[in-house]
Amino acid sequence: MGHSLAPCSMILLGILLGAGLFAPRLRAQAFKEYDIKAAFLYHLAQFVEWPPEAFPAAETPLVIGVLGQDPFGKALDEIVKDEVVKSRKLVVQRFRQMEEIKICHVLFISQSEAGHLDQILASLKGRHVLSVGDSENFAQRGGIVRFVTEKNKIRLRINIDSAKAANLTISSKLLRATEVVGSGETRP
């Protein structure tokens, strides 16, 4: 059953925060890294507020999308199966190109799309989409959340300017546990 910051979600957030500022340790296998990143995508949805116009109807689900080559396999589908966040069912959709995206709330932009990241981010302007990626300079180029892997830990780097431009409100609880940057800063 879904929940909005229910006790078990808060316990999980506490575990993730306690593991090093939202930075669980990774195993050597790449698939484990993306299993953890899939869990982060699900939990990010719990710490973001979308404006009402991001949901055309009361029954519109909260869509987690993957653009480009899917590094998650079945992990993301398994994590969100039968889950509800903020009274909305979660669904996963995969897209090969931006033109396919009609409704999306959290969009993971795969490294396979890094070559045209600027065009993708430009096409998201004016839409209420939490863009997430793990490619170099993702947050500085206008993406909202970048997964950063350092010393076998995953940390989040959040571009607060891009979040505001998308009219998204990110929980202060999450912001306190991440590195906050603005567009145009020089960190990777």
Side-chain angles (χ1 to χ4, degrees), residues 82-94:
D82 300 324
E83 290 293 335
V84 175
V85 171
K86 300 178 183 169
S87 302
R88 294 190 183 276
K89 182 176 174 17
L90 285 175
V91 298
V92 176
Q93 294 183 1
R94 289 165 177 84

Side-chain angles (χ1 to χ4, degrees), residues 62-152:
L62 194 147
V63 177
I64 298 176
V66 178
L67 178 63
Q69 188 175 13
D70 181 1
F72 301 106
K74 294 179 182 176
L76 185 57
D77 299 281
E78 290 170 2
I79 288 169
V80 304
K81 183 180 179 187
D82 300 324
E83 290 293 335
V84 175
V85 171
K86 300 178 183 169
S87 302
R88 294 190 183 276
K89 182 176 174 17
L90 285 175
V91 298
V92 176
Q93 294 183 1
R94 289 165 177 84
F95 309 104
R96 288 177 305 238
Q97 35 193 307
M98 278 298 299
E99 298 75 34
E100 297 174 13
I101 301 173
K102 303 300 179 229
I103 295 175
C104 187
H105 301 96
V106 178
L107 179 63
F108 181 84
I109 303 169
S110 177
Q111 287 190 20
S112 67
E113 307 306 299
H116 44 284
L117 180 60
D118 293 332
Q119 299 95 316
I120 292 168
L121 294 173
S123 69
L124 290 175
K125 288 201 187 306
R127 297 176 75 173
H128 311 292
V129 176
L130 182 74
S131 56
V132 182
D134 56 7
S135 57
E136 237 7 73
N137 296 314
F138 184 83
Q140 287 66 32
R141 291 170 70 184
I144 298 174
V145 178
R146 177 180 176 210
F147 293 139
V148 180
T149 305
E150 292 175 346
K151 298 178 185 174
N152 292 330

